[in-house]
Amino acid sequence: SQVATVDQLSEGRAIVAVGIGALAPELPATGEVSGVRERAERLDDGIDLMRALWAGNTHYQGPHYQYGIEDNDIVSAAQPVQQPIPIWVVGVWPRPRSMRRVLRCQGVIPQYQGEGTPDDLRALGAWLRENDAPPNLDIIAEGQTPAGDRSAAVEQVAPWAKAGATWWLENNWGSPAHSAERMAQVSDRLRAGP
């Protein structure tokens, strides 16, 4: 319902990104499912559940999640503007099961074996086309561009665009999420513009 609300507020511009999640060794054991296969199965079921809720379905029965409201229940999911809201999924290239999941979604955030290059993205794009990916499927590239040097930023992003990336996600996975340094970097990058 949060994504549907953002979609309403943005007049149909929400995108949701999903993945199986990372297990951080510094986090305590919480009893959550930790196996890759089990998390992937729950991700698939969760994608189906989100779509059912956004479509206004009042019941859903999947292998891991169940949802149901009766006519007299007050609770219902918010209805988004977009049908469906685009789902971008992390896809591990070239793992077949992961790539088949991508074919069910509107975008892929590639995870590569190693750093990943524009050639890897080009190969992923070719596989998607050969396997009847949805038209206009977004292929995302990501990294960190310098805030103070627009030409260097363009030089960094251009090979990815040429290889077929439709979006660039600016990220900084190396520093703590809420550190003062990270927040300053994010602010500097936003001020520098696209």
Side-chain angles (χ1 to χ4, degrees), residues 84-98:
I85 290 176
I87 297 175
W88 290 355
V89 65
V90 174
V92 182
W93 174 250
R95 299 234 173 114
R97 285 186 181 155
S98 190

Side-chain angles (χ1 to χ4, degrees), residues 127-149:
W127 184 93
L128 290 168
R129 286 186 298 279
E130 291 166 6
N131 286 276
D132 300 320
N136 303 319
L137 182 119
D138 285 311
I139 302 175
I140 291 78
E142 58 182 321
Q144 186 175 8
T145 58
D149 188 342

Side-chain angles (χ1 to χ4, degrees), residues 89-112:
V89 65
V90 174
V92 182
W93 174 250
R95 299 234 173 114
R97 285 186 181 155
S98 190
M99 288 295 100
R100 283 194 298 274
R101 180 176 302 110
V102 170
L103 296 173
R104 299 177 54 223
C105 295
Q106 291 74 38
V108 57
I109 304 170
Q111 182 180 355
Y112 303 102

Side-chain angles (χ1 to χ4, degrees), residues 117-119 121-123 125 129 139 141 154-168:
T117 66
D119 286 337
L121 187 135
R122 194 173 287 107
R129 286 186 298 279
I139 302 175
V154 168
E155 187 176 316
Q156 182 179 342
V157 173
W160 294 94
K162 189 173 181 177
T166 56
W167 286 77
W168 175 265

Side-chain angles (χ1 to χ4, degrees), residues 42-121:
R42 282 168 173 72
L43 173 60
D44 290 336
D45 198 22
I47 289 169
D48 292 341
L49 173 58
M50 286 188 296
R51 288 183 173 148
L53 291 170
W54 293 333
N57 295 344
T58 57
H59 291 82
Y60 175 81
Q61 178 69 43
H64 299 283
Y65 304 113
Q66 295 80 42
Y67 172 78
I69 60 170
E70 301 306 320
D71 291 337
N72 58 354
D73 286 345
I74 297 172
V75 179
S76 65
Q79 295 297 299
V81 174
Q82 300 176 91
Q83 284 294 343
I85 290 176
I87 297 175
W88 290 355
V89 65
V90 174
V92 182
W93 174 250
R95 299 234 173 114
R97 285 186 181 155
S98 190
M99 288 295 100
R100 283 194 298 274
R101 180 176 302 110
V102 170
L103 296 173
R104 299 177 54 223
C105 295
Q106 291 74 38
V108 57
I109 304 170
Q111 182 180 355
Y112 303 102
Q113 310 288 334
E115 288 296 312
T117 66
D119 286 337
D120 292 324
L121 187 135

